[in-house]
C-alpha cells in the first residue's frame, strides 16, 4: 500500500470537518475503488491466508482490504468497514493498522 493512499482517509476527514462533504465522499469512494481494483489483481481471496501465498502477496491483499475498509468507514458503513478490516487481518494477522482501527471501533 502506498502511504499516500491511507493518508487520503485523513484528508477526507479534514475536508468533512471543513464542511466539504462532497469532496470527502469522493475521496472515500476513491479509497474503495483503489482497494477493490487491487483485490482484482491479488491472489484468490480465499487462499490469501494460506502458507502457499507469499507474505508479500498476503500483505498486498490485507492492504487492499484495509483501503476498502477506510473508505467504508468514511462513508459511515460501519459493518462493511469492520468486515474489510477483519478480512485484512485474515490475510495478514500482523496488519497493525487494521488491528488498530478495529480496536478503535470497539470490535
Amino acid at each position: 500500500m502506498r502511504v499516500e493512499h491511507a493518508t487520503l482517509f485523513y484528508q477526507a476527514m479534514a475536508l468533512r470537518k471543513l464542511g466539504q462533504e462532497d469532496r470527502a465522499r469522493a475521496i472515500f469512494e476513491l479509497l474503495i475503488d483503489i482497494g477493490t481494483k487491487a483485490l482484482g489483481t491479488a491472489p484468490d481471496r480465499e487462499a490469501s491466508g494460506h502458507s502457499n501465498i507469499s507474505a508479500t502477496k498476503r500483505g498486498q491483499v490485507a492492504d487492499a482490504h484495509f483501503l476498502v475498509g477506510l473508505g467504508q468507514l468514511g462513508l459511515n458503513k460501519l459493518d462493511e468497514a469492520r468486515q474489510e478490516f477483519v478480512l485484512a487481518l485474515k490475510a495478514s494477522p500482523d496488519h497493525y493498522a487494521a488491528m488498530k482501527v478495529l480496536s478503535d471501533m470497539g470490535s
Side-chain angles (χ1 to χ4, degrees):
M1 169 178 54
R2 293 186 355 202
V3 173
E4 61 268 17
H5 289 155
T7 59
L8 284 173
F9 174 78
Y10 298 104
Q11 178 184 3
M13 294 299 287
L15 287 168
R16 176 178 279 162
K17 256 231 200 279
L18 294 170
Q20 298 181 31
E21 185 64 35
D22 289 344
R23 288 182 63 196
R25 180 177 205 73
I27 292 172
F28 295 135
E29 291 170 353
L30 176 64
L31 286 169
I32 293 169
D33 187 50
I34 292 168
T36 301
K37 285 180 181 172
L39 286 169
T41 61
D44 181 356
R45 290 185 197 195
E46 296 304 315
S48 63
H50 291 77
S51 61
N52 62 341
I53 304 286
S54 74
T56 301
K57 294 290 184 191
R58 287 193 308 271
Q60 290 170 348
V61 169
D63 287 344
H65 281 295
F66 180 69
L67 288 177
V68 173
L70 286 179
Q72 298 289 9
L73 182 62
L75 295 174
N76 205 32
K77 295 180 179 180
L78 302 183
D79 290 337
E80 292 92 335
R82 187 174 286 111
Q83 179 180 352
E84 291 296 332
F85 298 136
V86 167
L87 288 171
L89 289 172
K90 181 179 176 187
S92 183
D94 63 344
H95 197 284
Y96 178 77
M99 282 188 270
K100 176 70 172 131
V101 174
L102 274 174
S103 173
D104 290 349
M105 291 178 76
S107 296

